[in-house]
mmCIF file of all heavy atoms in Angstrom:
data_model
loop_
_atom_site.group_PDB
_atom_site.id
_atom_site.type_symbol
_atom_site.label_atom_id
_atom_site.label_comp_id
_atom_site.label_asym_id
_atom_site.label_seq_id
_atom_site.Cartn_x
_atom_site.Cartn_y
_atom_site.Cartn_z
ATOM 1 N N ALA A 390 111.087 90.137 -99.909
ATOM 2 C CA ALA A 390 110.081 89.478 -99.078
ATOM 3 C C ALA A 390 110.401 89.594 -97.590
ATOM 4 O O ALA A 390 109.492 89.563 -96.759
ATOM 5 C CB ALA A 390 109.972 88.003 -99.471
ATOM 6 N N ASP A 391 111.681 89.740 -97.263
ATOM 7 C CA ASP A 391 112.074 89.819 -95.855
ATOM 8 C C ASP A 391 111.909 91.219 -95.276
ATOM 9 O O ASP A 391 111.757 91.370 -94.061
ATOM 10 C CB ASP A 391 113.538 89.389 -95.690
ATOM 11 C CG ASP A 391 113.753 87.918 -95.986
ATOM 12 O OD1 ASP A 391 112.791 87.142 -95.803
ATOM 13 O OD2 ASP A 391 114.866 87.543 -96.413
ATOM 14 N N ASP A 392 111.979 92.254 -96.121
ATOM 15 C CA ASP A 392 111.920 93.619 -95.606
ATOM 16 C C ASP A 392 111.253 94.543 -96.629
ATOM 17 O O ASP A 392 111.896 95.441 -97.195
ATOM 18 C CB ASP A 392 113.335 94.114 -95.288
ATOM 19 C CG ASP A 392 113.336 95.306 -94.348
ATOM 20 O OD1 ASP A 392 112.246 95.840 -94.064
ATOM 21 O OD2 ASP A 392 114.426 95.718 -93.924
ATOM 22 N N PRO A 393 109.977 94.378 -96.904
ATOM 23 C CA PRO A 393 109.306 95.185 -97.926
ATOM 24 C C PRO A 393 109.293 96.678 -97.599
ATOM 25 O O PRO A 393 109.293 97.505 -98.514
ATOM 26 C CB PRO A 393 107.887 94.605 -97.962
ATOM 27 C CG PRO A 393 107.713 93.917 -96.633
ATOM 28 C CD PRO A 393 109.065 93.409 -96.272
ATOM 29 N N GLU A 394 109.301 97.037 -96.306
ATOM 30 C CA GLU A 394 109.264 98.455 -95.946
ATOM 31 C C GLU A 394 110.503 99.188 -96.432
ATOM 32 O O GLU A 394 110.435 100.343 -96.874
ATOM 33 C CB GLU A 394 109.132 98.620 -94.423
ATOM 34 C CG GLU A 394 107.805 98.144 -93.839
ATOM 35 C CD GLU A 394 107.801 96.654 -93.574
ATOM 36 O OE1 GLU A 394 108.863 96.000 -93.780
ATOM 37 O OE2 GLU A 394 106.743 96.125 -93.173
ATOM 38 N N ARG A 395 111.656 98.535 -96.378
ATOM 39 C CA ARG A 395 112.891 99.191 -96.802
ATOM 40 C C ARG A 395 112.928 99.346 -98.323
ATOM 41 O O ARG A 395 113.436 100.336 -98.841
ATOM 42 C CB ARG A 395 114.100 98.388 -96.304
ATOM 43 C CG ARG A 395 115.379 99.180 -96.303
ATOM 44 C CD ARG A 395 116.308 98.687 -95.184
ATOM 45 N NE ARG A 395 116.481 97.252 -95.231
ATOM 46 C CZ ARG A 395 117.396 96.642 -95.999
ATOM 47 N NH1 ARG A 395 118.179 97.354 -96.773
ATOM 48 N NH2 ARG A 395 117.521 95.337 -95.983
ATOM 49 N N PHE A 396 112.396 98.371 -99.045
ATOM 50 C CA PHE A 396 112.309 98.487 -100.500
ATOM 51 C C PHE A 396 111.364 99.615 -100.886
ATOM 52 O O PHE A 396 111.589 100.332 -101.867
ATOM 53 C CB PHE A 396 111.853 97.158 -101.105
ATOM 54 C CG PHE A 396 112.949 96.143 -101.252
ATOM 55 C CD1 PHE A 396 113.503 95.515 -100.148
ATOM 56 C CD2 PHE A 396 113.452 95.829 -102.504
ATOM 57 C CE1 PHE A 396 114.527 94.584 -100.279
ATOM 58 C CE2 PHE A 396 114.467 94.902 -102.659
ATOM 59 C CZ PHE A 396 115.013 94.274 -101.536
ATOM 60 N N GLU A 397 110.301 99.782 -100.117
ATOM 61 C CA GLU A 397 109.379 100.883 -100.362
ATOM 62 C C GLU A 397 110.076 102.225 -100.116
ATOM 63 O O GLU A 397 109.921 103.175 -100.899
ATOM 64 C CB GLU A 397 108.155 100.749 -99.445
ATOM 65 C CG GLU A 397 107.129 101.853 -99.566
ATOM 66 C CD GLU A 397 106.254 101.733 -100.806
ATOM 67 O OE1 GLU A 397 106.438 100.790 -101.596
ATOM 68 O OE2 GLU A 397 105.373 102.594 -100.977
ATOM 69 N N ALA A 398 110.849 102.315 -99.048
ATOM 70 C CA ALA A 398 111.553 103.564 -98.733
ATOM 71 C C ALA A 398 112.566 103.935 -99.809
ATOM 72 O O ALA A 398 112.870 105.121 -100.000
ATOM 73 C CB ALA A 398 112.249 103.442 -97.383
ATOM 74 N N ALA A 399 113.099 102.936 -100.511
ATOM 75 C CA ALA A 399 114.102 103.184 -101.550
ATOM 76 C C ALA A 399 113.482 103.383 -102.928
ATOM 77 O O ALA A 399 114.208 103.545 -103.911
ATOM 78 C CB ALA A 399 115.086 102.013 -101.598
ATOM 79 N N SER A 400 112.163 103.406 -102.995
ATOM 80 C CA SER A 400 111.473 103.556 -104.276
ATOM 81 C C SER A 400 111.106 105.018 -104.508
ATOM 82 O O SER A 400 110.281 105.582 -103.768
ATOM 83 C CB SER A 400 110.193 102.708 -104.297
ATOM 84 O OG SER A 400 110.496 101.331 -104.161
ATOM 85 N N PRO A 401 111.682 105.668 -105.503
ATOM 86 C CA PRO A 401 111.332 107.074 -105.768
ATOM 87 C C PRO A 401 109.834 107.301 -105.960
ATOM 88 O O PRO A 401 109.302 108.335 -105.538
ATOM 89 C CB PRO A 401 112.109 107.392 -107.049
ATOM 90 C CG PRO A 401 113.291 106.484 -107.003
ATOM 91 C CD PRO A 401 112.777 105.211 -106.392
ATOM 92 N N ILE A 402 109.130 106.333 -106.562
ATOM 93 C CA ILE A 402 107.695 106.517 -106.811
ATOM 94 C C ILE A 402 106.920 106.701 -105.512
ATOM 95 O O ILE A 402 105.876 107.370 -105.476
ATOM 96 C CB ILE A 402 107.135 105.327 -107.635
ATOM 97 C CG1 ILE A 402 105.785 105.689 -108.221
ATOM 98 C CG2 ILE A 402 107.056 104.064 -106.782
ATOM 99 C CD1 ILE A 402 105.275 104.657 -109.206
ATOM 100 N N ALA A 403 107.422 106.124 -104.430
ATOM 101 C CA ALA A 403 106.740 106.247 -103.141
ATOM 102 C C ALA A 403 107.020 107.588 -102.468
ATOM 103 O O ALA A 403 106.393 107.911 -101.458
ATOM 104 C CB ALA A 403 107.180 105.109 -102.217
ATOM 105 N N ARG A 404 107.946 108.358 -103.036
ATOM 106 C CA ARG A 404 108.338 109.634 -102.444
ATOM 107 C C ARG A 404 107.693 110.832 -103.125
ATOM 108 O O ARG A 404 107.903 111.971 -102.709
ATOM 109 C CB ARG A 404 109.855 109.789 -102.536
ATOM 110 C CG ARG A 404 110.646 108.683 -101.833
ATOM 111 C CD ARG A 404 110.647 108.894 -100.348
ATOM 112 N NE ARG A 404 111.520 107.934 -99.666
ATOM 113 C CZ ARG A 404 112.044 108.157 -98.461
ATOM 114 N NH1 ARG A 404 111.780 109.275 -97.821
ATOM 115 N NH2 ARG A 404 112.814 107.249 -97.901
#
Side-chain angles (χ1 to χ4, degrees):
D391 293 332
D392 199 352
E394 293 84 4
R395 198 150 51 85
F396 279 71
E397 178 77 0
S400 298
I402 196 171
R404 301 283 186 157

